[in-house]
Amino acid sequence: MCRSIKTLRPPAIPEEATEEDMRAAALQFVRKVSGFRAPAAHNQEVFDRAVDEITAATHRLLDGLEVRGAHVHTTAHG
C-alpha cells in the first residue's frame, strides 16, 4: 500500500477534509479489503463503484459527527 489511511476529522487535521482526502482514504480501504492495488479490467467497474460508495459514506460520516471541543464540521455535499 502506498500510504496509510489518516484521520480526517478535527482536531486530527486543522481544516476540513477535502474530496481528495476522502477519496484517497476510500481507495486505500478498497485496496486493502480487495487485496488488489490496481484491479484487472474485469474488476475495474466494481472496484471504482466501491471507492465511490465509500467516499460518499465518508462524507456522510464526517458531516454527521459532532466533535466536542472542536469547530463544527459543515460542508455542502450533494
Side-chain angles (χ1 to χ4, degrees):
M1 301 296 155
C2 62
R3 69 181 214 165
S4 298
I5 298 171
K6 64 182 181 178
T7 301
L8 297 180
R9 65 159 180 80
I13 61 172
E15 69 285 341
E16 289 184 358
T18 65
E19 175 74 20
E20 183 180 318
D21 292 331
M22 290 183 231
R23 190 153 194 85
L27 177 60
Q28 289 305 313
F29 179 80
V30 172
R31 285 176 172 170
K32 187 67 167 182
V33 170
S34 71
F36 295 112
R37 186 178 185 322
H42 62 276
N43 287 324
Q44 189 69 53
E45 183 179 344
V46 71
F47 191 93
D48 291 344
R49 186 172 49 241
V51 172
D52 292 342
E53 291 172 359
I54 293 166
T55 300
T58 301
H59 278 289
R60 290 189 302 272
L61 172 65
L62 293 176
D63 286 346
L65 286 177
E66 178 183 333
V67 181
R68 295 185 180 180
H71 106 75
V72 177
H73 180 88
T74 57
T75 58
H77 302 293

